[in-house]
Amino acid sequence: MDSDEDNLNFQLHLAQQLVGYLEAGLVDDAATVIRQLRVPYERELFEELGKLTRDLHETLNSFRGDSRLAELTQDDIPDAKERLNYVVTMTEQATHRTLNALDEAMPIAESLQARAHGLTGTWQRFRQRELTVSEFRNMATEMDTFFIASSEETERLRTLMSEVMMAQDFQDLTGQIIRRVIRLVHEVEENLVGLIRLSSARMDSSKGVAKATGKTPHEELPTSHGPIVPNTHDATGDVVSGQDDVDALLSSLGF
Amino acid sequence: MKILIVDDFSTMRRIIKNLLRELGFNNTMEADDGSTALPMLKNGGFDFLVTDWNMPNMEGIDLLRAVRADPALKNLPVLMVTAEAKRDQIVEAAQAGVNGYIVKPFTAETLKEKIDKIFERIDG
């Protein structure tokens, strides 16, 4: 009480001094008095700022304690980058596989078309009785060759088209990997929103401190993982390396 | 023979459908997850089920269990075609009564071989 009254008297004294200095035009002296007047308020501001900083620090610590964020940043996000890189590699491979098949198929189709076109011309001249005997013999030989070759070459085209079809399996495999990364991004987002909500609750002391759970509400966890991506945590698990491995495992189970 | 193909990716369903057609199986139908597939199977008429594992709503492993738990479907041959490659999962599928297990990516030859093997065993 006394100290409050002392403060008040001291401030009143400073204020009167300030008016005096200003009236006398003593700008420097007035500035000194203004600084003196400000001191108690600044102290309060710094104390408040200090308290806020401590609160924020504690919030972050408590959040880190039981949240997924640390795990996400340390493991899952580097993993996700590796997954997306793998998607780039897989799509590149699938595209090359498709284009390689097309590179081989196009000349076959073009050559079949050209030879069929040539034979059609000769055949029409034959129908119009314009061929000499030796020309007819040549045509017959050409047709023999063409029939054998076209059967082989169309079979090759069929194989190449199958190859193109099988190359499209990347869409399923990369799709599963991308969906997994999307789930991760969603989880990071939820954790960050949780962090912001938690911090604002702590800052607003009148509303009290929200309990830090730091957990995202999990849906029922799927039993599936999607394709194994090299250089991620997938590859460190006990996984098969291919169909032969699957067959060996199943046969060991009596399949 | 009527075959149901279950996969959430339409591209993979098309690939399997095409491969089955090349093998001489022309009567196929498609479903995009277990929960769509199960009512179709219960309506009857299917002789063979080809299913993925990783699917929304109802996964392939749960579809397999539901099939084995249904008296009318329990003997339906089931081939799993999936990217799931953990040993535990393959054991789990075997224990749930799968007839064949193919890991993606797979080849046309692998599909043919597994289908032949399944029907050899059933016929034999």
Side-chain angles (χ1 to χ4, degrees), chain A residues 183-203:
Chain A
R183 277 206 300 275
L184 174 75
V185 171
H186 182 69
E187 201 187 336
V188 171
E189 186 188 6
E190 280 188 336
N191 273 275
L192 289 176
V193 168
L195 181 64
I196 290 165
R197 195 175 295 137
L198 202 61
S199 315
S200 60
R202 264 190 191 266
M203 294 309 142

Side-chain angles (χ1 to χ4, degrees), chain A residues 168-185:
Chain A
Q168 309 311 307
D169 70 353
F170 81 92
Q171 203 271 333
D172 169 16
L173 300 171
T174 58
Q176 292 188 53
I177 296 170
I178 292 172
R179 278 186 185 165
R180 196 166 160 184
V181 175
I182 292 172
R183 277 206 300 275
L184 174 75
V185 171

Side-chain angles (χ1 to χ4, degrees), chain B residues 2-6 28-46 73:
Chain B
K2 196 173 170 188
I3 304 175
L4 183 63
I5 305 164
V6 191
T28 53
M29 286 190 80
E30 299 175 28
D32 61 5
D33 82 331
S35 60
T36 334
L38 196 56
M40 290 171 80
L41 291 168
K42 286 189 176 187
N43 276 338
F46 286 101
L73 298 172

